[in-house]
Amino acid sequence: MSTTTSHSPESEGAPEAGGARSARLIHNEATTEIPVHLLFRDDPEPVSVPLAPAVVGRRRGTGEQPRVPRRPAAPVPARPAPEVDPELVERPARVLPGGVGVLAGACGVAGCALTSWWAGAVPPPALDALGLPWSAGAGFGPAQWAAYAGAGALGLFGFGGLARGRTGRAWVLGLFGRYRGTVRRTGLLWVNPLVLRRRVDVRLRHWRSEPLSAVDANGVALRVVVLVVWRVKDTARATLGIEDHESYLRDCVEAALSRAPVEGPAVKGGAAASRSAVGDVLTRLVAEDTAPVGVEVFSVQPVRIEYAPEVAAVMHRRRIAALDAQNRATALTSVVDSVEDTVTRLTMRGLVELDDYERKALVKDLTVAFCAGRGDASP
């Protein structure tokens, strides 16, 4: 009797050496390659076999794509908050009431006039007209020139430092490149004329952007117009900590739109709630980016969302096709309900007695009639 021994394909071409078993392998999509002789060892020591998924190719004969194990998403590290220069913190500047400047300027003008009378530079007709006593005049000596200089400097400082503070406007003062404070007071004020003044608008402002690029959750290109409500909270940081806080605000809005997905204009149901949620996310992102530069953002809301020009035609056709399919499904459901209601009423009231064949014929005729009626009424 001859015994036929079957050999697996894996064992062919692998001759046994020295009486050892052939290194046949078992392949499985959920395991790594496991030598067969490890599964039938005589020694009792346990063998640790890694069972992690390690499929790198297609399954033979099935054409099935390999299943890649999902790795947990790595946590996004929190961005460190930028350090703020302690010198760039808004503080009130030292100013005086405007009446002090007017008084100082008037004293300077009066001192110049008195010095001119002392030097004899005022003509007699002018003295007679003003009712002043005539003076022989001491001439222009060092004392007269010193009096002129002092009175002129007093007049220039008095009138040159006058300023008018307006509601919603502030001045950022700097002297020799150093921040000296912020003036938020209103009315007539006297500010040191040697300091550099920068006017800042601190009112509540809004900015309506031009169409900005964005994407939805599926990666479709969009154009979004947002309305930003903001104001300058810290004038020192907004003016001295950055070159242009308005341009920086625009850049922050564009960066937030690139990070937050926006729902497209064809979102199904809950469009208002979806836009409100997107606005909350944009407000939080922009507020976090602009807080270090002294800009306070209250709201960033999308007011218009449309598809980008390169995908607008395709999305419009897709939207029309979806609406057409929805209308067809609604019409079919209505017809089926009408046919069912008609047949049920006829049979329950005993008007007709139908067997299965007659029932099917009646349902067919009613369906055709209702569909034809809807087709005639639709135009």
Side-chain angles (χ1 to χ4, degrees):
M1 180 180 296
S2 61
T3 303
T4 302
T5 305
S6 60
H7 300 277
S8 63
E10 289 81 357
S11 62
E12 294 179 3
E16 298 181 359
R21 293 188 178 95
S22 60
R24 293 179 298 173
L25 302 178
I26 294 178
H27 297 273
N28 191 357
E29 63 177 358
T31 61
T32 57
E33 298 179 354
I34 306 175
V36 176
H37 69 277
L38 292 179
L39 301 178
F40 302 94
R41 292 185 60 179
D42 297 330
D43 49 356
E45 291 83 10
V47 179
S48 60
V49 181
L51 299 178
V55 178
V56 295
R58 296 185 178 183
R59 298 180 60 184
R60 296 181 180 178
T62 61
E64 182 180 351
Q65 295 290 342
R67 294 183 297 177
V68 180
R70 295 183 179 179
R71 298 180 180 179
V76 180
R79 294 179 301 172
E83 297 182 358
V84 180
D85 188 358
E87 293 291 334
L88 292 181
V89 177
E90 181 179 333
R91 59 180 182 271
R94 297 180 180 179
V95 295
L96 298 177
V100 176
V102 173
L103 180 60
C107 292
V109 173
C112 290
L114 184 60
T115 303
S116 299
W117 175 80
W118 180 23
V122 181
L127 294 176
D128 295 339
L130 297 175
L132 298 176
W134 182 81
S135 174
F140 290 95
Q144 285 76 15
W145 287 116
Y148 264 125
L154 182 61
L156 290 177
F157 264 79
F159 289 123
L162 292 177
R164 184 179 60 175
R166 297 181 180 179
T167 303
R169 303 296 178 91
W171 281 304
V172 177
L173 307 183
L175 182 61
F176 303 119
R178 185 177 180 182
Y179 174 63
R180 304 300 298 178
T182 300
V183 180
R184 288 181 177 261
R185 296 172 57 181
T186 59
L188 187 62
L189 306 172
W190 185 86
V191 184
N192 187 355
L194 298 180
V195 300
L196 178 64
R197 309 176 191 177
R198 295 185 181 181
R199 186 180 292 275
V200 182
D201 192 345
V202 295
R203 295 174 297 180
L204 188 66
R205 304 166 64 183
H206 74 279
W207 169 60
R208 184 185 178 94
S209 70
E210 65 279 359
L212 303 175
S213 300
V215 294
D216 62 1
N218 298 323
V220 180
L222 302 174
R223 290 291 185 269
V224 183
V225 178
V226 298
L227 181 65
V228 184
V229 180
W230 64 284
R231 71 174 180 181
V232 174
K233 184 178 181 180
D234 193 311
T235 56
R237 298 181 188 177
T239 306
L240 305 176
I242 194 172
E243 183 176 0
D244 187 357
H245 59 273
E246 295 183 3
S247 300
Y248 182 77
L249 177 63
R250 297 188 184 98
D251 296 339
C252 290
V253 172
E254 294 183 3
L257 283 174
S258 64
R259 287 184 289 170
V262 181
E263 293 292 345
V267 62
K268 295 182 180 180
S274 177
R275 290 195 179 188
S276 178
V278 172
D280 294 340
V281 174
L282 293 177
T283 302
R284 178 178 57 83
L285 293 177
V286 177
E288 291 177 356
D289 292 338
T290 57
V293 298
V295 176
E296 185 177 8
V297 176
F298 296 94
S299 175
V300 181
Q301 296 295 331
V303 295
R304 190 179 67 189
I305 301 176
E306 58 187 11
Y307 291 110
E310 59 270 17
V311 299
V314 177
M315 299 306 297
H316 182 64
R317 290 195 296 268
R318 181 181 296 181
R319 180 60 176 169
I320 292 178
L323 291 176
D324 189 18
Q326 184 179 1
N327 293 336
R328 289 176 181 270
T330 304
L332 181 59
T333 303
S334 178
V335 168
V336 171
D337 293 341
S338 300
V339 171
E340 181 183 4
D341 184 63
T342 303
V343 174
T344 302
R345 288 187 177 184
L346 289 175
T347 55
M348 290 183 63
R349 294 183 180 182
L351 298 179
V352 293
E353 293 182 359
L354 304 173
D355 56 8
D356 293 340
Y357 178 78
E358 293 174 343
R359 182 185 294 273
K360 293 179 181 179
L362 179 61
V363 168
K364 179 179 178 181
D365 295 340
L366 289 176
T367 303
V368 173
F370 286 155
C371 289
R374 285 184 173 274
D376 295 339
S378 57

